[in-house]
């Protein structure tokens, strides 16, 4: 790949992993991460049987035999880090000061399990409401008990999948190509797999279903022209092969971040 798509991929991955100091300290306490009043609870016995993790637009879902064991919101950094620590063991940990590595890099603590899942716990929740940024870098990770846990995004998309047909079927406003200076070289793509973060008001109000559908159409029209792009969980590709899954990760944003 030429420098342009490589740079685009690098920025999207590093946005959740800029570091100043790396340590091997355990993250079980995670004193600095944000929490919510509705922390999910799951026993160690149930957690030990988890065999899959799905990254959705606004949550991380731990599953057993395609059934949800626990669904933890990305608004709750403490629970996200704690559950992954209990399931996957001690992560590597890095501290990030605001602006490290670029103007859009947030302050916080980044946790990485097995080089496969990276969670940046923000010191202050973002304007969208997320307290973490999550990146999935492999298709599986080993749990602390030694079993393999499958990693995916929406629709079963995994790192390593060829998603050429999905790219072709995706609406232009939900995908972007980083292009290439070399016409013979493949492009890098970002494809939105599931919308999120931009419709909180729509989901939480108590208006009629007709009103909500009308609001959804209005929001969709606005999203196509908003300089913040369309947000949610995205796949990044090298040519058409998935290399990273991440959320929040806006597509076609023009506001600088």
């Amino acid at each position: 790949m030429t420098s342009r798509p490589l740079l685009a991929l690098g920025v999207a991955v590093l946005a959740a992993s800029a570091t100043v100091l790396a340590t091997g300290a355990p993250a079980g306490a995670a004193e600095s991460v944000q929490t919510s009043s509705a922390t999910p609870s799951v026993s160690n016995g149930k957690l030990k049987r988890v065999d899959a993790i799905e990254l959705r637009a606004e949550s991380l879902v731990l599953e057993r035999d395609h059934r949800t064991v626990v669904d933890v919101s990305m608004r709750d950094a403490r629970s996200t880090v704690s559950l992954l620590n209990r399931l996957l063991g001690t992560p590597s940990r890095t501290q990030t000061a605001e602006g490290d590595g670029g103007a859009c890099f947030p302050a916080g603590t980044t946790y990485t399990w097995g080089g496969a899942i990276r969670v940046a716990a923000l010191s202050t929740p973002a304007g969208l409401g997320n307290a973490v940024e999550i990146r999935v870098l492999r298709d599986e990770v080993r749990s602390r008990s030694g079993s393999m846990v499958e990693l995916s995004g929406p629709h079963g998309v995994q790192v390593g999948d060829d998603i050429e047909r999905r790219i072709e079927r995706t609406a232009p406003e939900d995908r972007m190509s980083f292009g290439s200076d070399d016409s013979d070289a493949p492009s890098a793509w970002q494809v939105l797999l599931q919308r999120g973060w931009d419709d909180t008001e729509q989901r939480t109000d108590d208006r009629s279903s007709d009103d909500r559908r009308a609001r959804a159409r209005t929001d969709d029209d606005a999203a196509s022209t908003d300089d913040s792009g369309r947000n949610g969980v995205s796949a990044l590709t090298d040519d058409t092969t998935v290399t990273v899954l991440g959320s929040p990760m806006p597509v076609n944003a023009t506001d600088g971040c």
Side-chain angles (χ1 to χ4, degrees), residues 150-169:
E150 187 176 25
L151 306 175
S152 71
H155 316 297
V157 174
Q158 294 184 285
V159 171
D161 285 354
D162 187 318
I163 60 169
E164 180 177 7
R165 294 186 65 183
R166 180 172 295 277
I167 294 171
E168 293 172 349
R169 296 195 306 267

Side-chain angles (χ1 to χ4, degrees), residues 11 39 48 81 84 100 108 128-129 134 157 161 179 182 190 194 208:
V11 168
T39 301
K48 186 176 181 180
V81 172
L84 289 176
D100 285 340
L128 292 173
I134 299 178
V157 174
D161 285 354
D182 182 351
Q190 181 179 342
Q194 185 180 74
S208 70

Side-chain angles (χ1 to χ4, degrees), residues 50-98:
V50 166
D51 59 12
I53 298 174
E54 178 184 337
L55 175 61
R56 296 182 183 172
E58 300 188 22
S59 67
L60 201 62
V61 181
L62 280 59
E63 302 175 333
R64 168 68 176 177
D65 294 333
H66 305 290
R67 295 184 178 182
T68 298
V69 174
V70 61
D71 186 336
V72 58
S73 171
M74 291 177 64
R75 291 171 175 79
D76 186 348
R78 183 180 297 277
S79 293
T80 301
V81 172
S82 176
L83 285 169
L84 289 176
N85 190 52
R86 289 168 59 198
L87 173 63
L88 304 178
T90 302
S92 62
R93 186 173 64 181
T94 58
Q95 298 294 328
T96 305
E98 184 176 359

Side-chain angles (χ1 to χ4, degrees), residues 16-248:
S17 61
T19 63
V20 182
L21 174 66
T23 77
E31 293 88 349
S32 64
V33 301
Q34 298 294 316
T35 187
S36 75
S37 60
T39 301
S41 177
V42 59
S43 69
N44 287 332
K46 288 184 177 180
L47 198 61
K48 186 176 181 180
R49 293 191 289 273
V50 166
D51 59 12
I53 298 174
E54 178 184 337
L55 175 61
R56 296 182 183 172
E58 300 188 22
S59 67
L60 201 62
V61 181
L62 280 59
E63 302 175 333
R64 168 68 176 177
D65 294 333
H66 305 290
R67 295 184 178 182
T68 298
V69 174
V70 61
D71 186 336
V72 58
S73 171
M74 291 177 64
R75 291 171 175 79
D76 186 348
R78 183 180 297 277
S79 293
T80 301
V81 172
S82 176
L83 285 169
L84 289 176
N85 190 52
R86 289 168 59 198
L87 173 63
L88 304 178
T90 302
S92 62
R93 186 173 64 181
T94 58
Q95 298 294 328
T96 305
E98 184 176 359
D100 285 340
C104 298
F105 283 31
T109 305
T110 299
Y111 305 88
T112 305
W113 289 267
I117 301 179
R118 182 172 293 145
V119 174
L122 311 183
S123 296
T124 303
L128 292 173
N130 60 299
V132 297
E133 294 183 1
I134 299 178
R135 301 294 182 262
V136 174
L137 310 175
R138 296 181 180 175
D139 63 349
E140 62 181 7
V141 63
R142 190 176 299 278
S143 73
R144 68 188 307 159
S145 65
S147 61
M148 300 308 298
V149 177
E150 187 176 25
L151 306 175
S152 71
H155 316 297
V157 174
Q158 294 184 285
V159 171
D161 285 354
D162 187 318
I163 60 169
E164 180 177 7
R165 294 186 65 183
R166 180 172 295 277
I167 294 171
E168 293 172 349
R169 296 195 306 267
T170 299
E173 60 268 28
D174 288 341
R175 70 182 186 188
M176 59 186 289
S177 171
F178 299 111
S180 170
D181 297 329
D182 182 351
S183 59
D184 295 327
S187 296
W189 289 89
Q190 181 179 342
V191 182
L192 191 66
L193 301 177
Q194 185 180 74
R195 291 280 300 278
W197 300 113
D198 55 356
D199 60 348
T200 302
E201 183 179 345
Q202 174 193 334
R203 287 200 314 275
T204 57
D205 67 25
D206 59 358
R207 290 172 295 178
S208 70
S209 59
D210 288 342
D211 288 342
R212 288 196 295 271
R213 285 194 290 269
R215 175 60 183 271
R217 287 193 295 271
T218 301
D219 288 348
D220 285 345
D221 291 341
S224 64
T225 57
D226 193 330
D227 63 2
S228 62
R230 291 198 175 193
N231 215 333
V233 56
S234 289
L236 295 175
T237 74
D238 180 351
D239 193 5
T240 58
T241 300
V242 177
T243 57
V244 178
L245 299 169
S247 181

